Amino acid sequence: MTDLATKINFSPRLGDLSIFGVGVRRKGPIKIYSVGLYGNSTARESIKDLSASSNKEDAFEELRSKVKSNPPTTFLLKMNFKVGAEKMASAIADSVAPRHSGDSNEVDNLKKLIFEGISEKGAATKGTTFQFDCSNDKISVSVDGVDQGSVESSGLSQAFCDVYLDKNSVSNALKESCLNNCGKP
């Protein structure tokens, strides 16, 4: 599957998970990265009757609910634009923080994992990948295929999913793509 905005390709499978959709994260006119959402067959089955042609907001909320209640879910980010290590780690952490009602140290730990994963390079350059594996009890982080560790927290994992799936999503294109690819017309 290809993100049409950036022309970045995503594999149809990531381990046991299949791709649900792709989208772009923009900051103004700049296409920062493309994101792919991967989920399991249970989650896919639970959203097959959703339709983008019905009430879109209701369909988006149902998509969010079904994906979050059927983990694991993986978000694969592929950079399209160079961003410094501190700025990238902060941007993701700042998106998660207001959605997370738990201990703020959990968000700080997530930020640290992201930062440490790209700090050797100094920046997340075009082609850098970030993989966030969200499960019932933790979120695991990999940068360029290298495991950076995890933060034990179901709340943080859920908050991370909301960055891409709630009504204030950083990529509405991702939600649209998920509905178009997994739901009914």
Side-chain angles (χ1 to χ4, degrees):
M1 186 176 295
T2 302
D3 178 5
L4 298 177
T6 62
K7 308 296 184 237
I8 294 175
N9 292 311
F10 288 81
S11 173
R13 299 200 62 78
L14 194 60
D16 293 336
L17 306 179
S18 64
I19 193 149
F20 283 24
V22 298
V24 65
R25 168 64 165 126
R26 294 177 190 266
K27 198 68 172 175
I30 300 169
K31 301 167 190 168
I32 306 296
Y33 61 81
S34 291
V35 56
L37 185 156
Y38 291 83
N40 62 35
S41 58
T42 304
R44 189 177 203 97
E45 180 67 21
S46 74
I47 62 175
K48 71 176 181 159
D49 291 329
L50 295 180
S51 173
S53 62
S54 62
N55 182 321
K56 197 170 282 194
E57 290 308 312
D58 288 347
F60 284 159
E61 183 54 36
E62 192 70 13
L63 171 70
R64 174 180 169 258
S65 173
K66 299 290 187 185
V67 167
K68 287 175 61 176
S69 63
N70 290 290
T73 303
T74 292
F75 294 89
L76 181 61
L77 283 56
K78 295 185 176 188
M79 296 300 294
N80 185 59
F81 188 83
K82 181 180 176 182
V83 178
E86 176 63 33
K87 188 168 189 172
M88 187 67 189
S90 293
I92 292 174
D94 291 348
S95 293
V96 174
R99 294 168 167 94
H100 182 53
S101 58
D103 186 345
S104 63
N105 286 328
E106 294 171 349
V107 176
D108 293 339
N109 290 338
L110 176 65
K111 179 180 175 181
K112 182 179 175 191
L113 293 175
I114 299 165
F115 177 77
E116 289 174 352
I118 51 178
S119 62
E120 278 186 30
K121 297 184 349 176
T125 55
K126 186 171 180 145
T128 299
T129 62
F130 297 89
Q131 183 172 320
F132 298 92
D133 299 320
C134 302
S135 67
N136 281 328
D137 57 352
K138 68 182 176 182
I139 180 168
S140 301
V141 180
S142 297
V143 178
D144 287 336
V146 178
D147 180 29
Q148 299 301 312
S150 60
V151 180
E152 303 286 329
S153 170
S154 62
L156 186 65
S157 181
Q158 295 285 306
F160 191 90
C161 289
D162 282 342
V163 169
Y164 296 96
L165 296 173
D166 72 10
K167 66 181 179 178
N168 297 315
S169 169
V170 300
S171 178
N172 279 323
L174 174 64
K175 296 190 303 186
E176 294 268 357
S177 177
C178 288
L179 286 181
N180 291 334
N181 291 309
C182 299
K184 60 184 180 182

